[in-house]
């Protein structure tokens, strides 16, 4: 899996797992194309992966990734932002072409 988790994203995911799961739980990250803004994510803490989900460990956190997410996350940097405008995971995809209005 060719994606990067920043330390801020790793800390956020660890906090979510501690709050909603136990030591064996993982973080389900289902991403979908989000139009001009890049990727949209559906996140949850689960005890085990669903059928067809890959288990990927990064920096001590266990991620459960559906097939489509594994494709969409190729080359992406996953960060966490906590600003007045946005709180949550932020996906930076160098392949993403920004939209322009016509």
């Amino acid at each position: 899996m060719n994606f990067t988790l920043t330390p801020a994203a790793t800390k956020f995911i660890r906090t979510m797992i501690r709050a909603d799961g136990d030591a064996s739980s993982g973080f389900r990250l289902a991403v979908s194309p989000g139009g001009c803004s890049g990727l949209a994510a559906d996140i949850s803490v689960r005890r085990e992966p669903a059928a067809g989900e890959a288990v990927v460990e990064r920096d001590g956190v266990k991620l459960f990734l559906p097939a489509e997410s594994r494709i969409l996350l190729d080359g992406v940097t996953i960060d966490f932002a906590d600003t007045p405008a946005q709180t949550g995971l932020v996906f930076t995809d160098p392949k993403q072409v920004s939209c322009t209005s016509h």
Side-chain angles (χ1 to χ4, degrees):
M1 295 288 315
N2 181 31
F3 65 88
T4 302
L5 268 182
T6 67
T10 303
K11 181 180 177 187
F12 168 73
I13 292 170
R14 276 199 189 108
T15 301
M16 293 287 292
I17 292 172
R18 269 200 301 273
D20 295 337
D22 57 33
S24 64
S25 295
F27 190 79
R28 183 175 187 269
L29 178 59
V31 295
S32 57
C36 295
S37 61
L39 298 173
D42 177 29
I43 60 174
S44 58
V45 174
R46 302 279 173 91
R47 292 207 180 275
E48 55 191 48
E53 291 181 345
V55 178
V56 178
E57 290 209 33
R58 288 285 166 86
D59 300 318
V61 296
K62 197 180 335 180
L63 301 172
F64 300 152
L65 303 173
E68 183 184 20
S69 298
R70 296 193 301 269
I71 294 166
L72 291 171
L73 287 173
D74 184 51
V76 170
T77 297
I78 303 169
D79 196 4
F80 176 75
D82 189 3
T83 66
Q86 180 178 29
T87 299
L89 294 175
V90 178
F91 302 91
T92 305
D93 184 353
K95 302 179 302 297
Q96 177 71 32
V97 178
S98 62
C99 298
T100 56
S101 56
H102 294 281

